Amino acid sequence: PPRRLLWTMNAEKRAAADTSEQPNDKASQRSVPKPPAYMYFIAAGAALNSVGLGYDIGVSSGVAVYLEMQVDLTSVEVGLFFGCLHFVAAAAGLVSHAVSDRLGRRYTFALAQLLEILGITAVSFAGDFELVMVGRLLIGAGVGIGMAIDPLYIAEAAPASHRGQLTSWSELSINFGIMLGFVSNWALAGLPADVSWRAMVAFGIPIPLLLIVLSLSVMPESPRWL
């Protein structure tokens, strides 16, 4: 028979063998106990990093409209406004392991959020395209480092029985952050144009600021890094 068929047959045999070897006693069929509430709190704190990324993605769609009018951006510059963050984030993600191994997960979180706060502040006060780009590059560096550590920290701290569930919070939080960004666009659209887009960007500061406080005062180092 073809190789693919042979592989499928062998896989079915292995699966059947594994099933037959599983114990049938009642103890093995008991539900796995839930992790303590503190573990959920830690996972939610780490997932704030993803909320910040999602907020930036969502709010940027509204901010770009105002930037075109207020800072006189061209279509190319608008494309750079959106795209540069992701390129820098990818590059920062490649070096994040070296940073986290040197500083530990908690201080890496704090560093990433500090970069994001500096970047958000720069964009909020920008009067020209150059300062906007400086801010976006800083945000991208913070996002890249944070997104590499966010699911890693949760996976290292979570019990094996709930690791997949808790790690998925990182992805879910991105979508929640995008929704917050859209809500911010809608809620602040009535302000004067020069104030509106700056407020939309600045409203992203509380998220990384809260994560800095949590990572330095509440969240423990993950057991694997210790």
Side-chain angles (χ1 to χ4, degrees):
R3 290 184 178 179
R4 183 175 297 180
L5 180 58
L6 282 174
W7 185 89
T8 304
M9 293 170 61
N10 292 333
E12 291 175 351
K13 289 179 180 179
R14 288 194 299 269
D18 292 341
T19 303
S20 62
E21 292 175 0
Q22 292 178 355
N24 295 320
D25 56 293
K26 294 182 179 180
S28 65
Q29 298 175 3
R30 291 175 184 172
S31 60
V32 178
K34 292 184 178 181
Y38 182 60
M39 185 63 244
Y40 289 106
F41 176 76
I42 292 174
L48 282 174
N49 178 81
S50 299
V51 176
L53 170 59
Y55 181 85
D56 181 86
I57 294 173
V59 83
S60 293
S61 59
V63 170
V65 176
Y66 289 96
L67 281 176
E68 284 187 281
M69 297 184 296
Q70 297 294 316
V71 192
D72 296 325
L73 299 187
T74 65
S75 58
V76 174
E77 289 172 337
V78 172
L80 290 173
F81 170 80
F82 280 109
C84 70
L85 183 146
H86 302 285
F87 283 106
V88 176
L94 293 175
V95 301
S96 62
H97 69 283
V99 177
S100 63
D101 286 346
R102 180 176 295 273
L103 299 180
R105 312 300 189 232
R106 294 169 59 236
Y107 289 106
T108 302
F109 268 132
L111 173 63
Q113 305 315 302
L114 179 61
L115 290 172
E116 289 188 37
I117 290 174
L118 292 174
I120 292 171
T121 304
V123 175
S124 299
F125 288 97
D128 52 42
F129 177 66
E130 288 73 18
L131 187 54
V132 169
M133 289 301 294
V134 169
R136 294 293 286 176
L137 293 176
L138 288 171
I139 296 173
V143 164
I145 295 174
M147 278 304 298
I149 302 303
D150 174 358
L152 174 65
Y153 175 84
I154 297 175
E156 290 179 344
S161 57
H162 292 78
R163 190 167 295 145
Q165 174 196 5
L166 293 174
T167 305
S168 67
W169 285 21
S170 177
E171 294 294 330
L172 292 173
S173 298
I174 294 177
N175 295 283
F176 179 69
I178 292 174
M179 183 193 69
L180 289 180
F182 290 155
V183 171
S184 178
N185 287 336
W186 169 76
L188 302 174
L191 297 176
D194 189 50
V195 177
S196 179
W197 70 269
R198 299 179 190 276
M200 292 175 186
V201 176
F203 269 42
I205 290 181
I207 300 172
L209 186 61
L210 177 59
L211 182 50
I212 288 178
V213 173
L214 292 177
S215 62
L216 296 181
S217 60
V218 179
M219 296 166 61
E221 278 294 359
S222 60
R224 288 185 179 273
W225 194 82
L226 288 174

